[in-house]
Amino acid sequence: MGDSGDSVYVDMESTSLAGKEHLVKTGHGFISVFVFGDLDKPALVTYPDLALNYISCFQGLFTCPEAFSLLLHNFCIYHICPPGHQLGATVIGTDERTISVDDLADQIAEILDYFGLGSVMCMGVTAGAYILSLFAIKYTQRVMGLILVSPLCRAPSWSEWLCNKVMSNLLYICGMCGLVKELLLMRYFGKEVRGNADVPESDMVQSCRRLLGERQSPNVLRFLEAINGRPDITQGLKKLKFRSLIFVGENSPFHSEALHMTSKLDQRFSALVEVRASGSMVTEEQPDAMSIPLEYFLMGYGFYRPSQFSVSPRSPLSPTSISPELFSPESMGVKLKPIKTRIPEEV
């Protein structure tokens, strides 16, 4: 771990897991990286969606016992926060120049350098999925594979651009007001959990609403403007030759974007999982639906779930003991697209 003058770290306890938060100095400011797990294991890097951090974007997945056992058994987790999105963040100074998506992707390379990491597995949600995909295009040799949730790869559509501009203006004038929160919650969650006049919103949505209230609106605005100015990276996807697993909620406003991205990836190495009754943030809304596809995806790398959900690496589960019917759409509540996930031997 780096103990140079370019970084400081503080101990931190999350609501469910103990780890360490590192504040890593990059060419575009300090970035919070929350690390937990065995540092000798391969690295899994995560990047959340707009206005979120690892708690509000990945806690559901990492508190799902099946996913927790699978990921912690095989990886050390590095949760990267967008600039100024960590707990207790202060407002980024007005003297800091605007940041671009290229800058955000380059920050990831600097973070990997700081921790002495080589090739990593990447997991991102929507805006975070775009940043990690761009990172993969720019630094192909540093990516082992991509796990993307409701990803983006094209420039914003007119409707998305307009919605983002409305949020930008509201953030600038009113801060993280009620309307901005509503627009963000519509971005993240399906209508089933957001509630209506007759049905109250779920505890998950209420918790996310509270966490949004803790964000520094100038920092969210800075990230939003970078995402709203993103270029189309579709052409770059064609050069990616590692495995990719894409999840998308069938009620996500970015559903068509995920389908487009899947169609542009090399289909020998990619798979799409559509999750029923979910919005964009499948990691929070339907984390159980991710466990079995993740397990089969990671088997391609030689990673297996430990027996009895233990975090001990001594007795990995043999893939032959997994019942094939467990991977059926009926058992998972998902729709699987018939795209190959294994690399042919001749490739």
Side-chain angles (χ1 to χ4, degrees), residues 150 186-194 248-256 274-282 285-286 335:
S150 304
M186 290 172 62
R187 175 188 177 97
Y188 306 147
F189 299 110
K191 59 184 179 180
E192 292 85 356
V193 296
R194 294 202 311 271
V248 64
E250 66 176 359
N251 299 324
S252 169
F254 305 108
H255 183 270
S256 63
E274 290 182 272
V275 183
R276 297 193 186 105
S278 180
S280 297
M281 197 156 48
V282 182
E285 202 168 340
Q286 297 281 359
K335 296 185 292 185

Side-chain angles (χ1 to χ4, degrees), residues 191-265:
K191 59 184 179 180
E192 292 85 356
V193 296
R194 294 202 311 271
N196 52 47
D198 300 318
V199 180
E201 64 185 17
S202 68
D203 292 342
M204 173 202 333
V205 175
Q206 292 179 21
S207 176
C208 187
R209 186 188 298 277
R210 287 193 298 270
L211 290 169
L212 288 174
E214 299 173 5
R215 297 284 80 77
Q216 296 286 1
S217 53
N219 300 350
V220 176
L221 174 59
R222 195 165 181 255
F223 187 26
L224 174 57
E225 289 181 336
I227 290 299
N228 211 29
R230 69 182 186 268
D232 189 322
I233 57 172
T234 300
Q235 288 300 116
L237 298 175
K238 296 178 180 179
K239 75 176 191 177
L240 303 182
K241 299 302 180 184
F242 42 71
R243 294 178 176 88
S244 300
L245 177 61
I246 295 178
F247 294 90
V248 64
E250 66 176 359
N251 299 324
S252 169
F254 305 108
H255 183 270
S256 63
E257 291 294 314
L259 298 184
H260 170 78
M261 183 171 186
T262 305
S263 71
K264 300 303 179 183
L265 287 165

Side-chain angles (χ1 to χ4, degrees), residues 290-301:
M290 297 180 64
S291 297
I292 294 176
L294 278 173
E295 183 168 0
Y296 273 72
F297 175 74
L298 293 176
M299 279 182 185
Y301 294 89

